[in-house]
Every structure is written in C-alpha cells, then in structure tokens.
Amino acid sequence: MSSAMSALARAGLIAASLSATPAAQAFCGFYVGRADASLFNETSQAIMVRDGTHTVISMQNDFQGDAKEFALVVPVPQVLKRDQINVGERRIFERIDAYSGPRLVEYFDPDPCARPMRDLAMKSQAAPAAAAPLGEARRERALGVTVEAQYTVGEYDIAILSAKESDGLETWLTQNGYRIPRGASKALAPYIRQNMKFFVARVNLAERAKTGLTWLRPLQFAFDSEKFMLPIRLGMVNAKGPQDLVIYVLTKNGRVETTNYRTVKLPANMDVPVYLKNAFPAFYKSLFDTQARRENLRAVFTEYVWDMNWCDPCAADPLSPDELRQAGVFWLGTPEAAAPPGSPPIAPPVNAFAPRRMPAPAAAGAQPVILTRLHVRYAPDTFPEDLMFQETKDRANFQARYVLRHAWKGDPDACPEARGYLDSVAQRQEKEAQTLASLTDWKIEDIRQKMNLTQPDRRNWWDGLWKQGSAK
Amino acid sequence: MSPGLAGVAARLRALDARLYQIAFQATLLTIGVLARDFTLRWEQMALAFAAGLATQAFWTQRLGLQRAGVLSAVITCFGLSLLLRADSLWVHPLAACVALSAKFVIRVNGKHLFNPANLGVILGIGLLPGAWVSPGQWGNDLAYALWFVALGGIVTQRARRWDISWIFLACWLGLVALRVAWLGQSWAIWWHQLGSGALLLFAFFMISDPMTVPNRPSSRALYALAVALIAFAWQFVLFRPNALMWALFLATPLVPLLDRWRRGERFAWKTASSPAPDKGLRGPALG
C-alpha cells in the first residue's frame, strides 16, 4: 500500500510539473478504480446500436447453471435471416463495461507552502480530442406455431417462430425442450398480437464442446424496426426479486433516455473519503442500492454518456473501430478502411497511473459514436411496460466519477499558510464523510471511524492567535 | 361547504384563471428543479422570460394594443421552461420569441392559431440543434399530486374551458385501454399511462388553453378526439416520441375550420376588473 502510494505521489508530481504540456493540462485526476457490471447479481447486459430504424442488439446473460437449462426468447419484429444473427465475443462486453463503468479518481493536494506550484495545479477542464474517431409439422400447426427459420450459430440452436396464440407457443417451447417458466404465455401474448416473431435460442451441447468455452457467448442480431425499445417484460416471468440490467446504447447524435420512465443521472463528481480507494466496488454497490431504493425502483439511471473517441479520465481505453463494429456499430465503414489487420492497439500501453486520453486512429469521414450507459433495477410491479427509448440531441458528457483528495501531510508550522490549510482539510474531510453517508446507507459514525476522524473539534477563536498556541 | 370556505372559493373564482395557472406552473418548475433534477439552467429560464416578455411588449406597442396579455406571455415562458431542454443558451429565448410572435402574426378570424408553448416546443424538437423534450422527466410518483391540483383548479376555475381536458383524457385513455385489452397486456400498463406526468400536464395546461381551441363545445369535443387519435397513431403506429406535442401541433389547422363550420362565442379572459366576459373588446383579445 505504502509503495503504491508513493508511486502515485510520484506520478502526481510528474503530472503537476508537466502541466504546461497540452496532454497533462487536459487531464484532470487519476483514474484509480472502477466498478464493473459484474458487481451486481442477476445482471443482464445488452448493447443496442441504433440509427434510424437500423438496430443491432447484443445480449449477454449472466446465466449461471447447466447449459442445458439455458433458453432465450426475444420478440423480434421480423423473421431474421442467418446473416442477421451472430455469436459475438464476451470480450466486447467486458471492454465496453470497463470503458464506461463508474470510476474513482484521485488528486493530491499541493504543498500549501509552495504557492506557485498550487497556481499551476490543474485548472483546465478537458477539451475534446481531435475529431478523428474512432412430423412435427402437423403438431406445430395444431399449436399455431410456425418455425420460420432454424439455424445453428456458434454454440446456439436458434429458431425464429411465429405463433397464433400464446398457449400454443408456450406448449411448443416446452415440448421442444426450452426451459421456460410456467405462465410465460401471458407475457408472450401481447407480442403475438403485434405480429412479432420470436427469436428463441438454446445451447447446442455438441457445438459448445467444440468451442471449448466454459461460458456462453453473447447473441447478436440486426434488424429494422420503428420501435426503439427493449423487451424486458419476458424476463420478469420468473423473477425472484429485482433484477439489474445494464444497457449500452450506441448512437450517432446524442444521449439516449427512456420515454416511459424517468431517466436520472446518478449523483456523481463529488469528493469522497480517501479510504474508498480500497473499497470502491462496495461503495458503488451501496450507492446504487440506495439511489435505486430512493427512486422506489421506478427510475432508469444514467451512468455514462460520452463520445467514444476519447475519455477523461479513462477507466479503460475507448473501443477501437474494429471493436465497435463487433459491437454492431454499422456506420463505421469497412474494417479495411479503418483498421488494417494487424494494426497496433489504438493506445499503446502506458504507465497505469498516467492519464489516458485516447488519440483515436484517423478513419477518414468516420461518424461519431455516442455511448449512453443506462442501469436499471426493475421489479415486475415497478416496470410494467417494456423500455421505450428516444435519442435526444443532448451531447453533454456525463460520467459517474468520484473524487479522492489526498491531503498534504506536513508540519503545521512549516509556513503561515499551513495551519489554515490543515483546518480546511479537517472541514473537507467531515464534509466527505457526510457526503458518503448521504450517498450510501452507511452510518456516519462508521465512516468517521474508518477515516480516523474524531468528532469535529470546535476550535476556539483564540487558538493560534499567538504562535505558541495549541497546535493540534 | 362552510361559509368561510365558500367565501374563499368565491374569491378564488373571481381571480384571473391565469394567475392560478402561473402559480401551478411555478410550483411544478420548483419541484422539477429541486426534486426531479431537470437539466434546466437558470440562465435558460431567465433568457426565456426576458425574450418572451420583450417580444410581447414589442408587439403590443407596435400594434397599439391596449391589453397587454402579459400573464399569457408568462404562462408561455413557464411552459417552455417546463418542457424544453437544450444544451445551449439560445434555444429557450429563440423559442419564446417565435412562440409569442406567432401569437400576433399568425391569426385567423381574429384568433391566434398556434398554442404558443406548443409551437415553441415543436420548433425546438423539430428544427433547432441541441434541443429536446424529456417526456419521462416527471416519473409517475408525481401523478397523484398533479391530479389533486388539477381537480382543485377545476373546482375553483369554472370559467375556463376545461371540458376539452376531460374529453381529451377520456379519448386518449380510452384508446390506450382498447390497445391494452386487444393486446392482452397487463392493466398495469394503463395505470402507468394514467400516471404519466407529461400526459396530465398536457391535458390540463396545454390543450386546455381556451384561446387556441374551437369556440363551440361540440367542436371542442371533436377537436379533442382528433388530437387523441393523432397522438395515438404517432405513438402506437409510428412509434415516435413526443406524440402529444406533435398531435396538438398537427391538429391546429382544424381549429379555424371547426370555427368556420360551427360558430361559437369566442373566449375572453375574465380578469379581476372585468367580472363578466368582456365581449366588447376593441382589437383582438389576446390570451
């Protein structure tokens, strides 16, 4: 811990002394930790790419259990052709999660006795980076179910079904070995009425053995739809309690929000006690639990909105054009044009403590990609409708970022400014404790204890009047 | 009702209905900013009011009108602040300026055509860069309070043409109910729609603007039905956002047609100094 701290302290000094160079000026704070989506139990993740009516959805389930039990049923607006379906890489989800996750940054207070240094310290806010981006048949008929298409893609057996009535569909799925919860027909009915088809998938064990993977890879499908929505109601049929869903929406023009539920930005950009450096995931989990409960599980939370060309600070490198295309961003042009095979990763590995603002490779004429990361905790009674979205024209950046400020540690009598500074630190730390208590459900007494804060000392007005006064 | 309460109610009724509306909008805006983290900056609001009131003053002076209609301008500026969101400072004043100018410039048969706040919002979401509307911003928790206040307003403000609010709500919620029943969805969806803050605000404080709806009660009913049908098609057939705003905008040309088809008494605001609706106004009555 102490060696890490000193390494950080050195990095801090380097950044401060380099503050005349553009890169260092633009950077504000060190990225030191993040909370990823795997923090929450029962979390599904989806990537939605949308422009006009073109839509690409990728779904990553946190399915844990026997692969034989896995079944996915997604209503889709049309019969999908084989080329519209893909089995993607889990890595893409890990990358986009890491890039957009809530983050902790830290600053080091400058020496209060060295005024010129202080004035040099980071003032500038980040400026955008360069614009370059980055026999059966009869029985089926009796049930009113038609298998419109069937494919084996990767480790999945996929069927596109149309159905006339929901009971028949439920029966068909059960008879064909899809483990769907009882009572699913009620949730399926509205989609049948809207003439939607059903994309159903289960694991092909033989194919899965060939892949040698122990996890299930995400399923992706591309289609056209007027509806900018994500069906969540089917997933609630067998819900035991509230479920978490993290949605990464990639668009061209601006932030995405829900139109039939409130979309709320998480409280962010506040100073929190420095001991959270080693407890960030626990902190973020408690923060999200508390905020979701305060909204009575009726709100959708925005965790991140950013143009994917850059980040500041970077929790992870932005996705490369190639990775974005794998995620389904279809307007980025052909792979050859943007990222020749074998090209180096877009950001060379750098010192873990150094700021990373990404110079994305120049892909001429490439369109921007705005990432909105939404986090929903929903229960059947609080989210009665599927999520409907709209793309706003809002391009303001937002990130769930929490700040650690390390105090200068020195002799209170080192200079006249030192004592005033140390007083302000004490006040600041008390405020940090209160902030933390209000963001989470943690008790303020426990927080103060962990911060080694005593109850805020009432300072007498005469303390320090004469220099020999009590120096606490 | 006790005599004291009756007295209070009578006094409230004697007030200009627009004062009630302004009080209501100010309350909502305060709640929105404090408890609903509206992404509204105070500068945007200030500029909207400055531009709106200046536009109003400019046109009244230029046209030599006696009635200033300042209250209505304030209502429009509040409406824009409540609904329109932007990432710049110029969207709100521009929308206020256009909305209030249209009131003086685009007139048919002595009545202004467009609902000013609606026109400003449509201008924002349809044409201006960096402007949007967040229909989900109210959430559903606020709905009970909205219903309560709206009902209270109707009791105290009989003078207003509230019929259109109720007919519109009945048509819209009826259509949603038909859809829920037809799709076999859960009725929780209907209740969810009923509790939409955006819907209630639209019904009680936008479509109800008496100056921009047809004069005859039967025409108003037809108009409310038309707006509900257009909104339904916009939301559930085309699957596009902001259905209520677009529907009111698209239905606006029906107002002069309905008025021509069946004549009715034009609305005038009952102010504290003129207890009876003043029919003998000189010049256009500006609401």
Side-chain angles (χ1 to χ4, degrees):
Chain A
M1 163 77 189
S2 60
S3 67
M5 287 291 282
S6 62
L8 278 167
R10 273 201 305 279
L13 281 175
I14 292 163
S17 62
L18 288 180
S19 63
T21 67
Q25 249 173 5
F27 149 75
C28 263
F30 292 105
Y31 160 75
V32 290
R34 65 166 181 255
D36 56 31
S38 65
L39 197 62
F40 300 92
N41 296 327
E42 305 271 331
T43 304
S44 304
Q45 299 184 70
I47 301 176
M48 265 188 111
V49 181
R50 170 115 175 156
D51 186 48
T53 59
H54 296 347
T55 311
V56 182
I57 295 184
S58 313
M59 291 183 154
Q60 170 80 58
N61 229 282
D62 71 336
F63 180 80
Q64 285 156 358
D66 192 343
K68 276 186 292 196
E69 305 279 329
F70 176 84
L72 178 72
V73 180
V74 185
V76 288
Q78 63 230 201
V79 175
L80 303 182
K81 299 197 173 75
R82 169 66 187 82
D83 290 349
Q84 288 173 277
I85 304 166
N86 184 46
V87 175
E89 293 300 325
R90 197 170 70 161
R91 199 179 59 84
I92 295 295
F93 276 88
E94 290 164 356
R95 288 277 292 114
I96 202 165
D97 177 20
Y99 167 75
S100 61
R103 71 243 5 240
L104 198 57
V105 298
E106 64 183 355
Y107 295 91
F108 291 85
D109 284 356
D111 181 347
C113 302
R115 187 174 290 276
M117 275 288 278
R118 184 167 27 175
D119 294 343
L120 257 180
M122 302 166 227
K123 273 185 185 154
S124 63
Q125 279 300 310
L134 3 176
E136 291 288 308
R138 194 185 301 160
R139 213 173 69 204
E140 279 157 13
R141 268 202 300 280
L143 292 170
V145 175
T146 312
V147 180
E148 304 277 358
Q150 259 178 321
Y151 316 107
T152 298
V153 186
E155 64 267 42
Y156 295 100
D157 282 334
I158 290 161
I160 314 285
L161 309 175
S162 62
K164 290 204 176 68
E165 51 110 17
S166 53
D167 291 339
L169 180 58
E170 185 176 350
T171 310
W172 188 94
L173 288 168
T174 315
Q175 286 177 352
N176 284 273
Y178 290 91
R179 306 293 178 98
I180 59 161
R182 270 173 199 284
S185 68
K186 202 156 175 272
L188 291 167
Y191 301 106
I192 296 176
R193 280 291 179 129
Q194 290 174 78
N195 257 332
M196 293 180 86
K197 313 297 176 205
F198 294 89
F199 175 103
V200 300
R202 63 180 164 182
V203 177
N204 181 318
L205 295 170
E207 291 296 326
R208 180 163 184 249
K210 280 188 216 163
T211 66
L213 297 173
T214 53
W215 63 82
L216 293 173
R217 292 181 292 172
L219 273 163
Q220 303 184 286
F221 31 97
F223 54 89
D224 275 302
S225 175
E226 301 294 334
K227 294 182 206 173
F228 190 4
M229 59 91 81
L230 199 64
I232 57 169
R233 290 295 304 175
L234 280 183
M236 296 186 195
V237 174
N238 55 343
K240 290 182 210 83
Q243 292 167 285
D244 277 45
L245 171 65
V246 176
I247 311 158
Y248 312 91
V249 199
L250 297 159
T251 49
K252 261 188 202 171
N253 301 310
R255 180 176 62 81
V256 169
E257 64 180 24
T258 42
T259 57
N260 54 347
Y261 299 99
R262 266 184 80 213
T263 310
V264 186
K265 288 196 173 95
L266 270 178
N269 295 313
M270 42 228 349
D271 292 359
V272 290
V274 291
Y275 82 82
L276 290 181
K277 185 165 175 175
N278 298 320
F280 185 54
F283 157 66
Y284 188 71
K285 194 167 180 298
S286 178
L287 178 143
F288 191 84
D289 291 349
T290 308
Q291 302 303 323
R293 206 173 42 243
R294 273 182 203 160
E295 296 290 349
N296 303 314
L297 303 190
R298 285 180 195 279
V300 175
F301 291 93
T302 307
E303 288 181 326
Y304 195 75
V305 184
W306 217 274
D307 180 332
M308 288 209 71
N309 287 336
W310 65 297
C311 43
D312 184 17
C314 292
D317 295 349
L319 274 66
S320 70
D322 193 44
E323 288 172 320
L324 285 171
R325 231 174 350 263
Q326 287 183 43
V329 181
F330 48 85
W331 59 83
L332 279 183
T334 58
E336 298 77 40
S343 65
I346 63 165
V350 287
N351 178 342
F353 302 121
R356 284 178 289 163
R357 299 185 64 253
M358 287 307 113
Q367 300 277 357
V369 183
I370 311 270
L371 167 65
T372 309
R373 175 179 168 134
L374 300 169
H375 188 162
V376 200
R377 178 163 300 168
Y378 58 89
D381 56 328
T382 59
F383 278 78
E385 278 186 278
D386 286 331
L387 299 174
M388 304 293 299
F389 302 100
Q390 70 167 359
E391 182 182 9
T392 68
K393 292 186 259 177
D394 184 9
R395 304 193 67 152
N397 292 328
F398 172 80
Q399 55 186 339
R401 165 180 170 273
Y402 304 91
V403 182
L404 310 180
R405 292 188 189 280
H406 295 274
W408 170 79
K409 290 195 173 76
D411 181 1
D413 296 319
C415 64
E417 287 87 0
R419 194 169 297 277
Y421 163 79
L422 288 176
D423 285 346
S424 75
V425 167
Q427 285 172 10
R428 181 176 90 193
Q429 287 173 338
E430 172 58 24
K431 193 157 168 267
E432 288 168 0
Q434 288 171 9
T435 305
L436 182 56
S438 75
L439 288 175
T440 61
D441 53 2
W442 295 347
K443 288 200 182 78
I444 187 129
E445 295 80 24
D446 299 345
I447 295 169
R448 285 198 188 112
Q449 200 181 0
K450 284 187 177 149
M451 292 173 77
N452 297 323
L453 288 188
T454 45
Q455 282 290 339
D457 254 358
R458 269 193 63 86
R459 217 178 119 74
N460 296 314
W461 63 268
W462 58 83
D463 287 346
L465 176 59
W466 297 284
K467 192 140 189 205
Q468 67 273 26
S470 73
K472 195 168 177 248
Chain B
M1 205 186 286
S2 73
L5 272 178
V8 170
R11 207 173 284 180
L12 280 175
R13 247 176 256 146
L15 283 176
D16 190 318
R18 289 171 293 180
L19 288 173
Y20 166 76
Q21 175 154 357
I22 288 172
F24 183 75
Q25 286 178 314
T27 311
L28 269 185
L29 195 59
T30 312
I31 294 173
V33 170
L34 295 181
R36 284 288 178 261
D37 64 4
F38 281 9
T39 46
L40 177 71
R41 289 158 62 183
W42 70 268
E43 299 98 317
Q44 292 173 327
M45 218 180 113
L47 285 169
F49 275 87
L53 294 174
T55 308
Q56 176 80 22
F58 170 80
W59 285 108
T60 39
Q61 196 174 31
R62 170 147 187 174
L63 300 176
L65 299 171
Q66 293 192 334
R67 289 190 60 188
V70 174
L71 289 183
S72 301
V74 169
I75 287 174
T76 301
C77 296
F78 265 121
L80 288 173
S81 304
L82 280 167
L83 294 167
L84 199 57
R85 299 286 164 267
D87 62 3
S88 63
L89 287 181
W90 55 268
V91 164
H92 283 85
L94 179 65
C97 184
V98 172
L100 286 162
S101 295
K103 211 164 88 172
F104 296 87
V105 176
I106 308 174
R107 303 181 69 87
V108 181
N109 297 329
K111 254 171 91 167
H112 59 272
L113 185 61
F114 289 103
N115 178 308
N118 179 254
L119 183 68
V121 165
I122 291 295
L123 174 78
I125 56 178
L127 293 176
L128 302 181
W132 70 96
V133 168
S134 291
Q137 69 180 356
W138 299 101
N140 287 55
D141 304 336
L142 218 57
Y144 304 107
L146 263 169
W147 275 107
F148 178 78
V149 178
L151 291 171
I154 287 156
V155 172
T156 50
Q157 300 288 337
R158 280 184 216 154
R160 267 193 94 136
R161 295 178 167 176
W162 287 108
D163 53 349
I164 192 163
S165 303
W166 293 108
I167 296 167
F168 169 77
L169 275 176
C171 294
W172 170 258
L173 291 171
L175 287 168
V176 173
L178 284 177
R179 184 173 188 272
V180 166
W182 182 68
L183 292 178
Q185 285 175 326
S186 148
W187 284 97
I189 291 186
W190 188 80
W191 283 105
H192 188 71
Q193 292 279 343
L194 177 74
S196 154
L199 170 69
L200 298 176
L201 206 63
F202 176 82
F204 290 115
F205 293 97
M206 185 168 273
I207 195 177
S208 62
D209 170 17
M211 305 305 290
T212 52
V213 293
N215 295 330
R216 266 182 93 96
S218 56
S219 302
R220 282 203 292 279
L222 271 178
Y223 183 63
L225 176 65
V227 173
L229 283 170
I230 296 172
F232 186 82
W234 192 271
Q235 181 158 334
F236 295 112
V237 180
L238 302 175
F239 297 102
R240 309 188 66 138
N242 302 313
L244 302 177
M245 293 291 146
W246 281 103
L248 184 63
F249 177 75
L250 294 173
T252 299
L254 291 176
V255 177
L257 293 177
L258 286 167
D259 275 344
R260 180 178 293 187
W261 179 43
R262 309 190 74 179
R263 298 195 165 275
E265 189 183 324
R266 209 164 78 204
F267 184 85
W269 289 108
K270 182 179 75 174
T271 57
S273 54
S274 58
D278 36 5
K279 293 173 202 167
L281 266 182
R282 276 184 220 153
L286 293 171

